[in-house]
Amino acid sequence: MLDCYEQIDQLVAFSRKYVRGFEKSRIEKIAHDIGIRESRRVKGLYVFTGEDVRSHRKFYDGVVKATYGIDIHSLETQKISPVVRGSVPLYSDYYEIPLRALISCDFDNLYTAGRCFSSDFEGQSAGRIMPTSAGMGQAIGVAPEISFESGRPIREISRDEISRELDRITDKNLIFSLADILKINY
């Protein structure tokens, strides 16, 4: 742990000196133990699970396509079982994160993306990576605009409406998604 704290201090010093915008940066929090990869999660209208990952589940309101497998790090689970290895999807057979897993079931107008999305331990281990988190942010980022313009609650917005809006933004800004690059059809 002491080595880690020293490395953090070195990284902060480097960033302040060489990275524009970090001149006045500071560390807000540091995990109390090495390897902390989990955070609090909001309970949504749907709880995304490890079984959703293993079965490559598709949803009527799936707004993110993902292929990252269950990723749990502990001394007890260092060996990857054939079941877990076989459940890592290929790009051609993905699982989806449903819009309902990004919408709080307890609070109106509370939406999530990234590590805090509604999931169990295994589901979060697969969905917390940056590309999947970015997809969640894109989907839940455009949903309020569609909701406002249509006068409907976000939970009634379809995946097709979200996809069309993201396509419109993508065309306008010349951004390419992983699905575009890999030619994955929706």
Side-chain angles (χ1 to χ4, degrees), residues 22-40:
F22 280 77
E23 297 84 3
K24 296 180 182 180
S25 65
R26 63 184 175 85
I27 297 293
E28 174 69 26
K29 293 179 185 171
I30 299 173
H32 68 279
D33 201 359
I34 294 175
I36 302 299
R37 301 174 70 127
E38 187 173 355
S39 58
R40 294 181 177 139

Side-chain angles (χ1 to χ4, degrees), residues 117-153:
F117 84 109
S118 181
S119 58
D120 69 7
F121 179 70
E122 290 183 326
Q124 194 244 17
S125 79
R128 68 176 171 233
I129 66 160
M130 293 305 296
T132 306
S133 293
M136 289 183 224
Q138 289 174 328
I140 204 63
V142 299
E145 176 190 7
I146 298 167
S147 172
F148 179 78
E149 294 293 327
S150 69
R152 293 176 290 137

Side-chain angles (χ1 to χ4, degrees), residues 50-51 53-56 67-73 76-90 95 122 125-126:
E51 183 55 33
V53 175
R54 283 188 289 278
S55 65
H56 310 167
T67 59
Y68 197 76
I70 294 170
D71 184 19
I72 298 172
H73 294 248
E76 294 81 35
T77 61
Q78 286 300 312
K79 296 181 180 173
I80 299 173
S81 72
V83 171
V84 171
R85 184 177 288 114
S87 70
V88 177
L90 302 172
Y95 56 87
E122 290 183 326
S125 79

Side-chain angles (χ1 to χ4, degrees), residues 18 150 164 181:
Y18 296 108
S150 69
R164 280 193 300 273
I181 294 167

